[in-house]
């Protein structure tokens, strides 16, 4: 397969125009770490953004950074660490889960709209994206948004590109906000609660004015795979607080007072707490399974997560845990993806959506990886896509599957 690797924006324009003239479809890649998400792409060439690297500007006082799309995420985070700042949405690292290698890039991060445990407090990746530059499927440069939140010009386009998985255009430069890194963090562990009691406890904690920045439930079935099995005995509810040391200490004391009569409590200090939430973020329990065991990312109402998992346990082989106060359910199936069963359960318990994050190539070809849209919404989505990429050059089939891609062509 032909490999294209532009190093400047004008080369991106020339490359896209050349592909347009030759009717050459392309798979857009950064570090290649998330190629396993979505349907398999059937393209004529690979268009790598690894040559488009570098931090263009960074103003710590304004908490805004601009970087080229192929900039490694590690370079971004190192620059922020030096100034005591961070990407508040906690970008996850799916390499161990997907069995991929390479270095995640900032363009790939926002293209997939990936967020970690702090999402329910700080928002998704797209909520931190202020502006971008894109080469569309006509070979034109489009600029949207700006370097400050009050500049709303093109803001809808900015949000539209985040989560489009490279199907709308070739992002060349991104501007995003950053936030101060908390001075410290700690986690309170509630041990021995069942799924229902855990959901109630997390809801109670989130209703308190204590600025909880992480709320997860780790059932007994997978709890032992976190922190090398060092968490206390029994299923675990983890509640995280962050900020200034004195504030964290005071809030932890108030949390303990609320739950001290409910179940055994224990506290994780800064290092252990950070390690635990990295493992929750990166889906640590399912790293060693290989691609043979499918993994779903399911978003539902927080109180519906435990009901959904309980139903699935009665009907198929499944393991899972909850993040985002139960609103995010990570599911690992023992054998087949069971897409129809899962999506029927989601509908039964109030709605939501499921994305197949890990699966074999055959499974990715056979079932909808992303939540299926209504006919009206699917038609609107296709009109939006063709307005950006009328010839279908970019990542054909990634979001719709090979059959739908062939029909569109």
């Amino acid at each position: 397969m032909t490999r294209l690797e532009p190093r400047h924006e004008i080369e991106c324009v020339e490359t896209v125009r050349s592909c347009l003239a030759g009717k050459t479809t392309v798979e857009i890649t950064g570090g290649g770490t998330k190629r396993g998400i979505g349907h398999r792409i059937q393209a004529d060439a690979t268009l790598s953004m690894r040559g488009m690297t570098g931090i263009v500007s960074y103003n710590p006082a304004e908490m805004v950074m601009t970087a080229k799309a192929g900039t490694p995420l590690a370079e971004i985070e190192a620059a922020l660490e030096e100034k005591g700042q961070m990407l508040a949405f906690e970008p996850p690292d799916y390499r161990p889960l997907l069995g991929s290698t390479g270095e995640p890039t900032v363009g790939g991060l926002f293209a997939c709209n990936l967020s970690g445990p702090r999402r329910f407090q700080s928002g998704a990746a797209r909520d931190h994206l202020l502006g971008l530059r894109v080469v569309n499927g006509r070979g034109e440069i489009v600029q949207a948004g700006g370097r400050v939140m009050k500049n709303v010009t093109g803001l809808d386009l900015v949000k539209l590109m985040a989560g489009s998985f490279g199907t709308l255009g070739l992002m060349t430069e991104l501007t995003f906000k950053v936030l101060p890194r908390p001075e410290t963090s700690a986690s309170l562990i509630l041990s021995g609660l069942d799924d229902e009691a855990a959901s109630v406890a997390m809801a109670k904690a989130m209703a308190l004015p204590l600025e909880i920045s992480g709320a997860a439930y780790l059932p007994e079935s997978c709890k032992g795979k976190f922190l090398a099995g060092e968490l206390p005995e029994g299923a675990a509810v983890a509640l995280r607080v962050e900020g200034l040391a004195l504030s964290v200490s005071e809030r932890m004391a108030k949390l303990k007072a609320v739950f001290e009569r409910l179940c055994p409590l224990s506290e994780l200090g800064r290092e252990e707490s950070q390690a635990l939430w990295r493992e929750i973020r990166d889906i640590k329990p399912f790293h060693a399974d290989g691609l043979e065991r499918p993994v779903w990312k399911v978003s539902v109402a927080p109180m519906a997560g435990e009901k959904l998992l309980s139903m699935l346990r009665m009907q198929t082989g499944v393991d899972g845990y909850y993040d985002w106060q139960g609103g995010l359910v990570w599911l690992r199936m023992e054998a087949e993806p069971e897409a129809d069963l899962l999506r029927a359960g989601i509908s039964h318990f109030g709605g939501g959506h499921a994305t197949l994050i890990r699966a074999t190539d055959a499974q990715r070809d056979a079932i909808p990886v992303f939540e299926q849209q209504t006919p009206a919404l699917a038609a609107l989505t296709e009109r939006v896509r063709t307005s950006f990429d009328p010839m279908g050059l970019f990542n054909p089939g990634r979001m719709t599957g090979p059959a739908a891609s062939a029909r569109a062509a």
Side-chain angles (χ1 to χ4, degrees):
M1 181 183 291
T2 304
R3 181 179 177 85
L4 309 169
E5 191 168 321
R7 296 187 176 275
H8 305 285
E9 189 174 67
I10 191 62
E11 289 185 20
C12 292
V13 171
E14 293 169 352
T15 298
V16 171
R17 289 178 178 175
S18 176
C19 291
L20 185 62
K23 297 183 179 180
T24 302
T25 58
V26 295
E27 177 184 1
I28 302 171
T29 66
T33 62
K34 293 175 280 294
R35 291 183 71 207
I37 304 177
H39 294 281
R40 286 196 296 168
I41 299 169
Q42 306 294 326
D44 302 316
T46 298
L47 200 167
S48 171
M49 296 300 288
R50 290 194 300 182
M52 292 282 293
T53 65
I55 296 173
V56 177
S57 65
Y58 174 33
N59 189 329
E62 293 185 359
M63 295 186 289
V64 173
M65 178 181 283
T66 299
K68 295 179 182 178
T71 308
L73 186 58
E75 182 179 336
I76 300 289
E77 293 182 323
L80 295 175
E81 177 75 26
E82 185 178 341
K83 298 298 183 180
Q85 296 181 336
M86 65 176 182
L87 295 169
F89 54 92
E90 291 183 280
D93 183 355
Y94 288 169
R95 285 175 292 180
L97 181 74
L98 299 176
S100 59
T101 57
E103 288 295 323
T105 63
V106 68
L109 168 65
F110 282 104
C112 298
N113 191 36
L114 299 180
S115 310
R118 205 182 286 113
R119 184 200 186 284
F120 67 79
Q121 183 193 61
S122 299
R126 63 161 49 96
D127 299 314
H128 297 251
L129 189 58
L130 303 178
L132 44 75
R133 292 175 65 87
V134 183
V135 179
N136 66 18
R138 296 181 176 87
E140 302 165 336
I141 297 174
V142 179
Q143 181 171 352
R147 286 192 167 91
V148 292
M149 282 300 290
K150 65 182 179 181
N151 183 346
V152 297
T153 304
L155 187 60
D156 288 345
L157 174 57
V158 171
K159 292 187 180 296
L160 189 65
M161 294 298 297
S164 65
F165 284 83
T167 58
L168 298 181
L170 183 65
M171 292 189 290
T172 60
E173 185 178 290
L174 303 97
T175 298
F176 44 93
K177 66 177 179 177
V178 300
L179 289 176
R181 184 176 298 277
E183 180 180 289
T184 192
S185 66
S187 293
L188 182 66
I189 305 299
L190 287 63
S191 299
L193 300 179
D194 62 25
D195 294 43
E196 183 177 1
S199 293
V200 172
M202 286 190 290
K204 185 174 183 179
M206 294 305 299
L208 300 171
L210 299 179
E211 297 181 38
I212 305 295
S213 67
Y217 177 57
L218 317 176
E220 184 70 33
S221 59
C222 64
K223 185 266 302 180
K225 296 180 181 179
F226 291 98
L227 291 185
E230 294 299 316
L231 287 172
E233 184 177 352
V237 171
L239 302 172
R240 178 177 63 181
V241 292
E242 300 175 293
L244 298 175
L246 179 59
S247 172
V248 167
S249 178
E250 291 178 348
R251 284 181 284 150
M252 284 295 291
K254 292 177 180 178
L255 265 181
K256 290 176 182 177
V258 171
F259 294 110
E260 61 185 355
R261 296 184 181 180
L262 177 65
C263 61
L265 306 179
S266 55
E267 182 177 344
L268 302 181
R270 178 180 179 179
E271 291 187 4
E272 281 188 307
S273 178
Q274 291 177 341
L276 174 63
W277 289 99
R278 280 195 301 270
E279 293 180 357
I280 292 172
R281 179 196 72 183
D282 297 340
I283 314 98
K284 174 67 164 55
F286 309 143
H287 285 181
D289 294 331
L291 292 179
E292 290 72 25
R293 292 183 175 180
V295 172
W296 289 93
K297 179 181 181 181
V298 179
S299 294
V300 292
M303 297 300 290
E306 61 92 6
K307 296 181 177 66
L308 175 65
L309 184 52
S310 294
M311 182 212 75
L312 291 172
R313 284 171 175 157
M314 297 290 290
Q315 301 184 54
T316 190
V318 61
D319 195 7
Y321 68 94
Y322 314 93
D323 199 356
W324 302 352
Q325 193 207 325
L328 172 61
V329 187
W330 285 105
L331 299 175
R332 194 280 317 278
M333 300 306 203
E334 290 294 333
E336 296 302 315
E338 303 284 6
D340 292 341
L341 175 64
L342 172 60
R343 288 182 165 131
I346 293 172
S347 177
H348 177 74
F349 291 115
H353 57 85
T355 302
L356 186 58
I357 296 294
R358 184 181 73 189
T360 64
D361 287 345
Q363 290 165 341
R364 293 165 63 199
D365 286 345
I367 64 175
V369 170
F370 299 98
E371 194 68 28
Q372 293 181 288
Q373 298 176 327
T374 64
L377 183 56
L380 175 60
T381 299
E382 181 60 16
R383 288 200 298 273
V384 170
R385 188 198 64 76
T386 55
S387 70
F388 284 95
D389 182 18
M391 294 297 295
L393 299 180
F394 302 130
N395 287 356
R398 185 169 193 179
M399 299 195 76
T400 57
S405 180
R407 288 195 301 271

